[in-house]
Amino acid sequence: MFNQNFIIRLLERYNLDQSSESKEKVLDGFLNDLYKKSVWDEKELGNKKETKKIIFDSINSKINRSRPNYGWIKFVSVAVILILFKLCFPSENTTKQITFVTTQTIDSIILPDNSRIILSPHSKVAYDSDFNDKYRAVSLLEGNAFFKVTKNILKPFTVTTGNIKTTVLGTSFNIDIQKDKINVDVKSGRVQVASQSQHKIIYPNQGVSYTINKQSLSKEKDIRVLPWYEKDIQLSEIKIKELGIIVKNRFGYNIRYNDRSIDDEKVTIHLSKSDSIIQIIDKLKYITSLKFKINANEIIVAK
């Protein structure tokens, strides 16, 4: 890295009698390095005003006491222009974080690489504005999301969720953030889930559960990624417990069962895109003998 002392020594040595092709290359390298810096690094380049004065004084001194040498004037003039540009119009890092938040309904987002994220109510995802330039990195900050990732072997798609990172090339999977754990379940393709000390490779109908307190990953088989994200869903002989997961991910209501035996009861039901939670409960009341009660963001199911 070039610093202020280097600039001073270079300008002292770089006079008309000592001009050489190698020194021009050194100065040219400095200019390129300076141009590429996004902001002025005062630690490396020194105080802006002092450095500007050093260059101006050196230019004036050499021009006044020497015959014209347009090569030298060209290089130093470019240096002055670049530094003045940095002083007056310091470039900033244009990368910004884009945040997408859902409220009480499902919503989806299409990323620049055409990957799609479908988010449950009360979910939050973020990614940088330069997504897909070099990397494809997303952070799931809250809630539950289903990912349909466009395949790109050169740019793995990563999702950071708390202390774990999920890496894929092209696949579909679900990530659910709960109070005490994070679940990653694969519908298609292959996924790697890694924490600071462990990693697991999972395939379709497999999942990984990360326990937050213990900071441990455990692999689970025979996982079914339920289609809560589809517009219209035809469910045949589905367990009430699984239907509860769909309702939670689709509408944001937690399901609480007064009797655990309810879990194994099965229903056949069609969920339309336009159905409200009240309409779904009315359907369930009609086809089952179960009782449903809504309290705030919770649905209590009883026999």
Side-chain angles (χ1 to χ4, degrees):
M1 177 62 67
F2 300 101
N3 55 35
Q4 190 185 60
N5 291 332
F6 174 84
I7 298 171
I8 296 171
R9 291 197 304 272
L10 186 64
L11 291 173
E12 287 175 347
R13 287 163 34 209
Y14 205 112
N15 55 44
L16 295 175
D17 298 327
Q18 293 178 316
S19 179
S20 68
E21 183 179 352
S22 62
K23 290 176 183 176
E24 285 192 4
K25 289 181 179 179
V26 172
L27 182 57
D28 193 35
F30 161 70
L31 297 179
N32 287 332
D33 183 77
L34 176 64
Y35 182 77
K36 291 176 182 178
K37 291 178 71 66
S38 60
V39 294
W40 181 276
D41 190 337
E42 194 159 288
K43 181 179 180 181
E44 294 289 343
L45 297 175
N47 181 271
K48 292 181 182 180
K49 292 183 180 179
E50 292 178 2
T51 304
K52 181 181 71 172
K53 186 176 185 303
I54 290 168
I55 294 179
F56 269 123
D57 290 346
S58 178
I59 293 172
N60 290 331
S61 173
K62 293 183 185 299
I63 290 177
N64 290 336
R65 62 183 170 83
S66 306
R67 66 183 184 277
N69 182 309
Y70 297 106
W72 162 245
I73 293 174
K74 176 189 72 174
F75 276 104
V76 179
S77 297
V78 172
V80 173
I81 291 170
L82 286 172
I83 291 175
L84 284 176
F85 185 83
K86 292 286 184 178
L87 290 172
C88 299
F89 307 101
S91 60
E92 297 180 355
N93 187 349
T94 57
T95 301
K96 297 179 181 179
Q97 190 173 73
I98 299 171
T99 303
F100 189 80
V101 182
T102 56
T103 53
Q104 296 179 349
T105 57
I106 291 178
D107 207 344
S108 65
I109 182 171
I110 304 295
L111 298 174
D113 68 337
N114 287 323
S115 293
R116 187 182 183 195
I117 307 175
I118 307 171
L119 291 99
S120 295
H122 313 298
S123 299
K124 184 177 181 180
V125 69
Y127 62 96
D128 288 339
S129 59
D130 61 355
F131 177 92
N132 202 39
D133 287 352
K134 292 183 179 180
Y135 309 102
R136 299 192 295 167
V138 171
S139 295
L140 179 61
L141 304 174
E142 297 174 12
N144 177 79
F146 183 77
F147 296 81
K148 294 182 178 179
V149 177
T150 300
K151 187 172 183 178
N152 187 334
I153 296 176
L154 299 178
K155 299 177 183 177
F157 188 104
T158 63
V159 183
T160 300
T161 317
N163 291 329
I164 65 172
K165 179 177 286 188
T166 303
T167 304
V168 302
L169 296 177
T171 184
S172 59
F173 58 99
N174 196 92
I175 300 181
D176 184 23
I177 301 175
Q178 299 180 23
K179 186 178 296 184
D180 56 348
K181 63 181 180 178
I182 300 169
N183 292 328
V184 181
D185 299 324
V186 177
K187 181 175 176 61
S188 64
R190 183 182 67 173
V191 167
Q192 174 180 281
V193 181
S195 63
Q196 293 180 345
S197 59
Q198 297 174 280
H199 78 276
K200 304 285 184 182
I201 303 294
I202 50 177
Y203 297 87
N205 301 320
Q206 293 183 348
V208 162
S209 182
Y210 176 75
T211 305
I212 296 174
N213 291 337
K214 295 181 179 179
Q215 298 185 355
S216 63
L217 287 173
S218 60
K219 190 172 181 178
E220 300 178 8
K221 297 181 179 180
D222 300 323
I223 296 297
R224 183 158 73 122
V225 179
L226 298 167
W228 61 267
Y229 46 84
E230 299 288 353
K231 293 181 180 179
D232 292 292
I233 313 172
Q234 180 61 48
L235 300 169
S236 179
E237 290 294 299
I238 186 172
K239 291 182 179 181
I240 288 292
K241 183 178 180 179
E242 291 181 323
L243 179 59
I245 294 172
I246 293 176
V247 169
K248 176 181 179 295
N249 292 338
R250 202 170 176 88
F251 296 97
Y253 286 88
N254 293 315
I255 311 297
R256 180 160 62 88
Y257 305 94
N258 279 352
D259 190 329
R260 300 312 304 178
S261 65
I262 296 173
D263 293 357
D264 294 327
E265 288 198 26
K266 296 180 180 180
V267 296
T268 295
I269 188 171
H270 178 266
L271 306 183
S272 172
K273 177 185 176 182
S274 60
D275 281 343
S276 67
I277 186 62
I278 300 298
Q279 289 173 317
I280 290 176
I281 289 177
D282 286 342
K283 289 181 181 181
L284 289 170
K285 285 180 178 179
Y286 181 77
I287 61 178
T288 72
S289 59
L290 299 174
K291 299 176 182 178
F292 300 85
K293 183 179 181 181
I294 298 179
N295 288 331
N297 64 337
E298 182 181 64
I299 298 175
I300 302 171
V301 185
K303 282 191 170 181

